[in-house]
Amino acid sequence: MFDTNWAADLDDAQLQAAMHGDAPLIVVAGAGTGKTRTLTSRVASLLERGVPPERILLLTFTRRAAEEMLNRASSLCGARDAARRIWGGTFHAVAHRLISEYAAALGLTELTVLDPGDVVDLVELLRDEHGLTAGPGAARMPRAATIADIYTRSVNTGRAARDVITTDFPWVEPHTATVLDILKSYVARKRERGLLDFDDLLLYWRSLLAQPAIAERLQHRWDHVLVDEYQDVNQVQVDIVTALRPAGRGLTVVGDDAQAVYGFRGASSDHLLALHDALPDATLVKLERNFRARQPLLDLANVVRPGTGRHRVDLLADRVGTGRRPRVVRCHDPGDEARLIADAVLAAVEDGAALREQAVLMRTSHHSDLLEVELTARRVPFVKYGGLKFLEAAHVKDFLACLRLVANPRDEISWFRLLRLHEAIGPARARTLLPLLLGTEPDENEVVATAPAGARTALASTLGGLTSARQSTATGPVVEGCVALLRPLVQRRYPDSGVRLVDIDRLAGTAAASPDLAAFVAEVTLDPPHSGTDYAKPPHLDEDYLTLSTVHSAKGLEWSRVHVLHAVDGAFPSDMALSTDEGLDEEQRLFYVAVTRARDELALYTPLRMPHHRRARDDRHSYAPASRFLTDAVLATAEVVETARPGTPGATGFDAVTVPAPALDALFE
């Protein structure tokens, strides 16, 4: 069964972690130190020691990470069938599986999962019902997205919503009472309609573990619980892990407190640091041997890295050779920055580097606006991550709404979305139709008769299509029925319907092949693909392209050459994070993530002039200081490059020309 040597090429620290026994284990893994290889080797080691695969639980933050680890573990130990029996997945996916198993005990009859966009839609309905809308002459009102953010911050941090409003959303305080009423109604409406949001999945899992009989059963289900990216867990997830392994036996966590960058989700670097205090008998293993970058880049990263104490790691390059020092490029303004980056990218291509081996990272998505214009003008293909996700695209949500309504006719949000696809039905008219559709025994004829005349034919077809789909027990006909009823609605609604229908067809093909349609919808909602091509792999017209990404989206990835935009105060660190010490600390950790993505070359750009408004037509600007993270100690590890503004003597070859000062003396004789 174990026909390969899983321990081959592991360094001493990795081997120690992989072969560790049953006592609690904390692995602090610096950037690029082989964290994934270490964790998969530990899984392979456990399987080789005879631990039944179904008694191993592997918790990650993305489905792809779980699949990659399980595939690697299976190839390392030659036990593919065994690896498939491991409980592996995201916190939310495992929670959904357990909640489905214990649905009766939880009093749940339907399990429809709301994505964050659905949550905002539901809050928008409740906001209207509570009269929290701005009319003529009214003061500013909190938007639905703001109220949803207040809710999730309160749940993930365990802070009272009233306190969250006071500290994080002070301008909402005049509406605190109404907002709290909306949040109470939101909780009640979800229960009434059989809806669960992402936070509910974790809360219900924690509730299961709060029942002694169920907790004992779940604790004995697994001998080993392995948690990846532990620095990204929120308090609810900490409670879940603690309840699964109260004494720490069989617990392995891997993380890096210097890469905790999801504070807005309730994550905290303190969770990893505090675990050692909670489990004093835990073994601490540090991974400091970096397999990604050359030492000059790591010298800068080690200075940038925040934190001291027992969890501090200093990266040491495994690669031989010195390599190029990182560059700090001082440029005139964002326009010059865009031109310099485009020049550098194309020069690298001329030297034989592929576009796909290069990346441009930014703190916030809109920082690359001018660069995107420059790349387009030069015909440099690029893809961008950190903006609109595939699941956030309207037509994809339309298709999933159809599938959800087949399983749960009480799904108010899906009805609200589907109704508005019809001619003459806007948000207000859709609200009047919802009570007719959500009644005990809805009358389709009454719904159609109540609808505007221009919508009745299409609405009758939609309702009939959903009724027919519900009568089928096979997945294929259900999916085909949903696509058929949705196709004319998409064609009328969207000018670019052809492209959107291609996405729907790809997603439908995968859905039709799924043995469990409800599980498919839940999986796509919990961990959506980046694009439709995640389900189909047609050839690209240009296989080579540059990557543009926010730093959050780049976490865990690497490229040969990396350019970091807008390394100036107010942009990186973001001015939105400068009001608290915690916010600034997280910005420094995010900066550390950015500079550790490069393997061979790193360039940080510091424009001098920053416009007040990125789309303004005037020339209002401020002079921006370089990022406070570019300290003297950091600059000592880098090569500082001064670039002249295009059109100045230093840039155009007029260095030898002497221009006399204006002669003004005659004016004052």
Side-chain angles (χ1 to χ4, degrees):
M1 177 176 175
F2 300 95
D3 53 5
T4 55
N5 184 9
W6 56 263
D9 300 324
L10 296 180
D11 64 22
D12 291 342
Q14 292 174 326
L15 187 61
Q16 179 187 356
M19 297 186 66
H20 184 76
D22 295 338
L25 172 66
I26 300 172
V27 180
V28 179
T33 56
K35 166 183 69 69
T36 300
R37 175 63 191 272
T38 303
L39 201 53
T40 54
S41 296
R42 176 147 179 78
V43 172
S45 172
L46 293 174
L47 294 175
E48 187 179 55
R49 281 160 42 188
V51 177
E54 59 274 8
R55 298 190 64 81
I56 299 174
L57 172 62
L58 174 63
L59 294 170
T60 65
F61 277 84
T62 67
R63 173 175 52 86
R64 294 169 191 80
E67 291 178 349
E68 178 186 3
M69 289 184 187
L70 295 180
N71 287 336
R72 284 196 193 184
S74 64
S75 62
L76 284 173
C77 64
R80 296 191 179 276
D81 292 338
R84 278 196 289 267
R85 302 203 308 273
I86 292 175
W87 277 69
T90 65
F91 272 91
H92 294 95
V94 173
H96 183 267
R97 187 173 171 184
L98 291 173
I99 291 169
S100 300
E101 181 179 337
Y102 289 94
L106 293 167
L108 300 172
T109 54
E110 289 102 359
L111 294 178
T112 298
V113 180
L114 301 177
D115 66 57
D118 297 326
V119 170
V120 173
D121 288 344
L122 179 53
V123 172
E124 183 64 51
L125 285 172
L126 296 169
R127 179 174 175 265
D128 182 71
E129 292 177 11
H130 285 74
L132 197 64
T133 53
R140 178 188 182 191
M141 300 293 183
R143 297 169 56 246
T146 301
I147 298 173
D149 197 1
I150 292 170
Y151 172 82
T152 194
R153 290 194 190 198
S154 175
V155 170
N156 286 319
T157 61
R159 296 158 55 202
R162 187 183 299 273
D163 295 338
V164 172
I165 292 173
T166 300
T167 57
D168 299 352
F169 303 88
W171 65 270
V172 179
E173 283 193 278
H175 310 287
T176 296
T178 306
V179 169
L180 295 179
D181 286 342
I182 290 174
L183 296 182
K184 293 174 187 174
S185 297
Y186 171 70
V187 173
R189 187 68 62 87
K190 286 187 299 177
R191 291 174 180 168
E192 178 185 348
R193 306 295 188 203
L195 307 175
L196 301 177
D197 60 30
F198 284 14
D199 298 324
D200 290 327
L201 294 173
L202 299 181
L203 292 173
Y204 273 114
W205 188 0
R206 186 173 68 176
S207 296
L208 288 174
L209 290 166
Q211 298 300 317
I214 297 177
E216 183 178 3
R217 184 174 180 181
L218 293 179
Q219 289 164 1
H220 286 86
R221 175 172 289 184
W222 301 292
D223 295 328
H224 288 270
V225 176
L226 296 82
V227 186
D228 189 24
E229 305 285 10
Y230 194 80
Q231 77 280 350
D232 291 336
V233 297
N234 60 34
Q235 187 57 53
V236 180
Q237 291 164 322
V238 169
D239 294 343
I240 290 170
V241 173
T242 302
L244 287 174
R245 283 290 171 273
R249 182 173 177 79
L251 176 64
T252 298
V253 304
V254 180
D256 182 4
D257 57 288
Q259 297 188 65
V261 295
Y262 294 111
F264 58 91
R265 298 180 185 171
S268 171
S269 60
D270 293 339
H271 291 150
L272 182 63
L273 301 175
L275 187 62
H276 214 146
D277 296 330
L279 300 173
D281 61 331
T283 298
L284 176 66
V285 175
K286 296 182 182 181
L287 303 185
E288 297 180 296
R289 183 181 177 190
N290 181 283
F291 299 91
R292 175 184 300 161
R294 297 187 184 277
Q295 193 59 48
L297 303 187
L298 299 181
D299 290 339
L300 183 147
N302 287 334
V303 178
V304 168
R305 181 187 174 93
T308 58
R310 59 185 172 186
H311 285 187
R312 168 81 188 189
V313 298
D314 289 301
L315 301 176
L316 182 65
D318 179 70
R319 299 174 63 187
V320 297
T322 57
R324 185 174 183 177
R325 295 172 71 196
R327 291 176 298 139
V328 175
V329 182
R330 293 173 173 165
C331 47
H332 183 70
D333 58 21
D336 290 347
E337 179 184 55
R339 287 186 286 273
L340 289 167
I341 292 176
D343 287 342
V345 167
L346 292 175
V349 171
E350 290 298 317
D351 289 340
L355 287 173
R356 295 180 72 170
E357 282 297 303
Q358 306 180 63
V360 181
L361 306 184
M362 67 218 72
R363 171 61 182 87
T364 304
S365 182
H366 69 75
H367 286 173
S368 66
D369 285 354
L370 286 179
L371 177 61
E372 293 175 46
V373 173
E374 185 74 18
L375 295 173
T376 301
R378 300 200 195 190
R379 298 185 179 182
V380 178
F382 64 88
V383 295
K384 185 175 180 179
Y385 298 99
L388 184 70
K389 302 294 191 299
F390 181 64
L391 187 60
E392 295 169 359
H395 58 290
V396 176
K397 291 178 71 68
D398 296 338
F399 175 66
L400 293 178
C402 288
L403 296 182
R404 283 164 43 172
L405 283 172
V406 172
N408 181 8
R410 298 191 301 153
D411 186 344
E412 184 174 12
I413 296 305
S414 293
W415 275 124
F416 189 57
R417 167 169 289 278
L418 201 57
L419 287 172
R420 288 177 293 154
L421 289 178
H422 296 78
E423 291 286 344
I425 298 181
R429 185 55 65 93
R431 291 188 185 99
T432 64
L433 295 174
L434 283 175
L436 302 176
L437 291 164
L438 297 171
T440 306
E441 296 182 1
D443 186 339
E444 292 183 5
N445 293 329
E446 182 183 2
V447 175
V448 172
T450 308
R456 289 172 187 169
T457 301
L459 185 56
S461 177
T462 297
L463 296 176
L466 287 172
T467 299
S468 298
R470 291 192 191 102
Q471 294 171 350
S472 177
T473 57
T475 301
V478 171
V479 173
E480 291 173 6
C482 288
V483 173
L485 72 87
L486 195 59
R487 187 175 298 276
L489 299 177
V490 170
Q491 289 172 336
R492 283 195 297 266
R493 179 77 171 185
Y494 304 108
D496 57 346
S497 60
V499 176
R500 294 176 185 264
L501 287 172
V502 170
D503 275 346
I504 291 174
D505 287 340
R506 288 173 178 163
L507 195 57
T510 305
S514 174
D516 186 339
L517 196 55
F520 169 81
V521 174
E523 178 184 335
V524 173
T525 303
L526 293 171
D527 194 9
H530 289 295
S531 68
T533 56
D534 277 19
Y535 288 123
K537 299 292 183 182
H540 294 281
L541 295 178
D542 193 331
E543 289 286 353
D544 199 17
Y545 50 80
L546 177 69
T547 297
L548 274 57
S549 175
T550 62
V551 182
H552 280 104
S553 295
K555 189 169 177 288
L557 303 177
E558 61 183 70
W559 295 269
S560 177
R561 292 170 169 84
V562 170
H563 305 268
V564 180
L565 284 171
H566 287 15
V568 296
D569 264 15
F572 207 160
S574 169
D575 53 3
M576 299 294 289
L578 300 182
S579 59
T580 65
D581 292 339
E582 293 79 6
L584 183 58
D585 290 344
E586 181 156 319
E587 290 292 303
Q588 184 174 357
R589 294 193 291 269
L590 195 62
F591 195 75
Y592 175 76
V593 170
V595 301
T596 53
R597 299 307 96 197
R599 291 195 299 267
D600 299 305
E601 295 186 16
L602 171 69
L604 307 165
Y605 295 80
T606 60
L608 174 64
R609 297 169 80 251
M610 296 295 289
H612 287 181
H613 301 286
R614 55 193 175 102
R615 291 192 175 92
R617 297 185 179 183
D618 57 38
D619 190 40
R620 297 181 63 189
H621 65 274
S622 298
Y623 288 96
S627 172
R628 66 190 66 193
F629 303 138
L630 296 176
T631 62
D632 290 342
V634 172
L635 294 178
T637 67
E639 172 190 353
V640 179
V641 180
E642 301 281 356
T643 63
R645 182 185 182 188
T648 61
T652 55
F654 290 104
D655 298 18
V657 176
T658 300
V659 180
L664 300 176
D665 292 347
L667 296 176
F668 308 112
E669 292 179 354

